[in-house]
Amino acid sequence: MAATPRPGPGLHEPVPPPLLRLLRRAVLDHALSEHRRRHVAIVHVGTPGGPTAVLPVRPEEPTDHALRADLIAALVRRAGTTAPLVWLTRPGELVEQDADVAWAAAAGQAFAEAGRRLVFVAVTRHGWLDPLTGLSRRWVRIRARQ
């Protein structure tokens, strides 16, 4: 009997409802806290709405894949959660950008070296996108639920 194929890295449908709630929270927090059209991207590691370690990504600071992976590993240790998510908040449209792919690859390496499963998304004020699979969710106007 053939084994059931396991999905590759990244998010696949159906996304578990608790994870969907966390990703929605990441989008909502970003939409409520960042009103400027242009702002620095920030890498977050932890739990949206909970313990999180952050790193501003300044374009003038040089990074390469190995440095980004080391930075992600350090953020994981600093976040102190057992199952951290990684998300990159950034300006712009909800389409794949070079920074999304670069940080996803670095996070993939850091999490693989630690033996952890990676959940990585790019977050804008209107939604989230998994650059590894293209899976995304969008909101025209995201609001806090009552």
Side-chain angles (χ1 to χ4, degrees):
M1 179 186 286
T4 304
R6 293 179 56 189
L11 295 174
H12 299 273
E13 292 288 4
V15 179
L19 180 55
L20 283 174
R21 283 190 293 276
L22 286 175
L23 296 175
R24 183 184 185 283
R25 174 68 186 260
V27 174
L28 179 63
D29 288 351
H30 181 58
L32 292 174
S33 66
E34 186 57 71
H35 300 286
R36 298 171 294 172
R37 289 190 187 272
R38 295 184 54 110
H39 56 86
V40 67
I42 300 174
V43 176
H44 304 255
V45 177
T47 304
T52 305
V54 299
L55 174 72
V57 180
R58 303 196 193 294
E60 66 275 4
E61 292 177 358
T63 61
D64 61 17
H65 177 76
L67 179 56
R68 285 189 297 271
D70 287 347
L71 291 168
I72 293 287
L75 290 172
V76 168
R77 286 189 300 276
R78 189 180 308 157
T81 60
T82 57
L85 306 180
V86 181
W87 66 103
L88 175 71
T89 56
R90 60 168 176 76
E93 296 300 316
L94 195 58
V95 295
E96 184 179 288
Q97 295 184 1
D98 291 344
D100 304 344
V101 175
W103 283 100
Q109 179 176 336
F111 273 61
E113 289 173 1
R116 296 176 180 244
R117 183 180 181 283
L118 173 65
V119 174
F120 177 94
V121 294
V123 172
T124 69
R125 294 184 313 159
H126 299 290
W128 58 263
L129 165 73
D130 179 345
L132 301 175
T133 63
L135 190 62
S136 66
R137 294 291 189 278
R138 295 176 190 269
W139 290 267
V140 173
R141 185 181 302 163
I142 192 165
R143 295 183 182 106
R145 293 183 176 149
Q146 287 145 358

